[in-house]
Amino acid sequence: MLWSGLGLAGSIAAFVFGVTAIVVIIAGPFIGNDGSDVRRTIRNAAGIPPEYLPMIIEAANNAGCAEVSPAVLAAQLHQESGFNPSARSAVGAMGIAQFMPGTWAVHGQGDVWNPADAIPAAARYDCAVAAATASVSADPREKMLAAYNAGPGAVLAYAGVPPYPETRNYVRTILAQAQVYGDVIDAMVAGTVSAAAVAPVLAFMESQIGKPYVWGATGPDAWDCSSLVQAAYQRIGVSLPRVTVDQMRAGPLVSAVDPQPGDLLFIPGADGTPAAPGHVGMYVGNGRVIAAKGARWGVVESALSDWTSIVAVTRPLAAT
């Protein structure tokens, strides 16, 4: 758990986070187990020290938010310390959940070196950063884990998982390990789509590279960003809404960390916001995105790494 401020934006986010965290701490005992009577557990506990398993299950169920499941919490502790309660990082992170001293002073209770204290604290802190980043329209668990690793300010500043290789790997690794432990990652995560099914969509996008961008255009000689992806999916009989915000809401939403070819990537753009993005492109594989970028560029191919402010990813074929 390594993070620092991000200038004015970070200071503002830190203030908001601090207020939210206080509310979560005060309300925690009344929140219960995410508002559900379903007690979540771990289906495959292989590799989890048996002495910590009951603590993890109890802590996740009592944390107070849906984002923290026992499998996600266990995967996080595995990633943070390898379940080592004596772990200490080079920068001073402590214990099984690798709390920095300042964070533990605010959010911890008891002894940071005692897993019975540190594991519930990690689950509560996960919920606190999840609440602090609730305004960001992105996968809830990805936001939470990114905020635990890089700080809520970074998630707020980038309107999603920040483009730090360490943080993206942290999120990806934990969610993958959670699946090993038997977790159903999230109802928002849709299934995979076959390469054959999406191939005509990708071929159409490739064929449009170089055509001009004209706001409001619907082809075939010029496009805007949303009409281009709408036309691409029309090639296989999938009907998308016309405008970007409606396309995002049509979903289904999926993970933003590892997109599949055919996924639609949404960013605020010049005239949008994280909640109502103004620009959309399509991931076509091999780290590439095709989009009707703007009047200066037309339809272009760019690197996925250039799309640093993704607020949502949808997989239209997963809904069919």
Side-chain angles (χ1 to χ4, degrees), residues 10-113:
S11 299
I12 295 171
F15 172 77
V16 173
F17 170 63
V19 173
T20 305
I22 291 171
V23 173
V24 170
I25 290 170
I26 293 173
F30 304 99
I31 294 174
N33 65 0
D34 84 356
S36 169
D37 292 330
V38 177
R39 185 169 178 81
R40 298 166 298 171
T41 189
I42 290 174
R43 293 198 293 269
N44 172 23
I48 302 173
E51 63 269 30
Y52 301 145
L53 184 59
M55 299 180 196
I56 292 168
I57 294 172
E58 187 73 14
N61 279 292
N62 293 336
C65 66
E67 290 89 342
V68 181
S69 71
V72 166
L73 181 58
Q76 186 177 24
L77 297 172
H78 177 272
Q79 177 69 10
E80 288 284 355
S81 68
F83 300 109
N84 179 7
S86 301
R88 184 190 290 272
S89 77
V91 296
M94 306 176 295
I96 195 168
Q98 289 293 277
F99 276 97
M100 293 297 289
T103 307
W104 179 260
V106 176
H107 300 282
Q109 298 175 12
D111 182 1
V112 71
W113 303 106

Side-chain angles (χ1 to χ4, degrees), residues 232-309:
Y233 269 102
Q234 284 174 344
R235 291 296 182 275
I236 58 172
V238 174
S239 179
L240 296 180
R242 171 64 181 89
V243 300
T244 304
V245 173
D246 291 340
Q247 288 177 350
M248 181 187 74
R249 291 172 180 165
L253 292 171
V254 296
S255 168
V257 173
D258 286 308
Q260 295 180 18
D263 286 356
L264 301 184
L265 315 181
F266 296 86
I267 62 175
D271 57 353
T273 67
H279 190 54
V280 61
M282 183 182 295
Y283 181 68
V284 296
N286 298 318
R288 299 174 300 129
V289 179
I290 295 176
K293 185 175 180 179
R296 285 181 54 195
W297 303 276
V299 179
V300 297
E301 180 181 280
S302 59
L304 176 61
S305 58
D306 293 338
W307 287 61
T308 58
S309 57

Side-chain angles (χ1 to χ4, degrees), residues 223-239:
W223 306 96
D224 64 18
C225 64
S226 55
S227 69
L228 176 62
V229 298
Q230 181 188 50
Y233 269 102
Q234 284 174 344
R235 291 296 182 275
I236 58 172
V238 174
S239 179

